[in-house]
Amino acid sequence: MKEAYIYDSIRTPRGRGKKTGSLYEVKPIDLLATLFRALSKRNGNFDTTKVDDVVLGCVTPIGEQGGDIAKFGHVYGGWDYTVPGMQINRFCSSGLEAINLAAMKIRSGWEDLVVAGGVESMSR
């Protein structure tokens, strides 16, 4: 069985989850796009077509976080549009479940490079 490795980790800033919070004006997709741009830049502007999948957990996949924010987020962040994206909801463990699923995909040999994490804007 193949091993799965974490090559990098990155997160957005945090703020209070209410209308007076510092991130209230920032849309979830903008938070994600910032992460995807930074991840690419920190790793030598790698060829994003090499990414087999983007898996993101999201507790409330409605409104601004609806649709498939995993797909929309990386495309908005400048990654290649051919990279798939999947959004999952496991409530409070959504981001952790996304990382576990990414590791399972790699360890099974199904995929080689998966970007995983979570997104949630409690302020909005």
Side-chain angles (χ1 to χ4, degrees):
M1 183 174 293
K2 291 173 63 170
E3 289 296 325
Y5 298 98
I6 298 172
Y7 285 98
D8 199 354
S9 63
I10 191 169
R11 69 158 295 129
T12 60
R14 295 181 62 186
R16 292 187 179 198
K18 53 186 178 180
K19 290 184 179 184
T20 58
S22 59
L23 296 173
Y24 177 70
E25 296 292 325
V26 183
K27 295 176 183 172
I29 194 140
D30 291 323
L31 290 171
L32 278 177
T34 300
L35 287 181
F36 285 115
R37 284 187 207 108
L39 187 62
S40 180
K41 185 176 179 182
R42 284 169 44 154
N43 290 281
N45 291 317
F46 66 93
D47 181 2
T48 59
T49 62
K50 304 291 186 200
V51 176
D52 294 312
D53 204 357
V54 173
V55 182
L56 293 179
C58 182
V59 176
T60 51
I62 57 173
E64 294 176 331
Q65 298 176 155
D68 184 356
I69 198 164
K71 175 70 174 184
F72 301 143
H74 78 70
V75 171
Y76 191 60
W79 286 25
D80 194 87
Y81 74 95
T82 61
V83 177
M86 176 173 64
Q87 177 176 305
I88 62 172
N89 180 0
R90 288 288 176 118
F91 295 100
C92 295
S93 64
S94 296
L96 180 60
E97 184 67 13
I99 294 167
N100 288 336
L101 181 58
M104 286 188 285
K105 288 177 163 215
I106 291 168
R107 294 202 67 198
S108 70
W110 190 6
E111 294 178 347
D112 293 313
L113 178 59
V114 181
V115 174
V119 59
E120 187 73 24
S121 179
M122 300 296 287
S123 300
R124 295 184 65 89

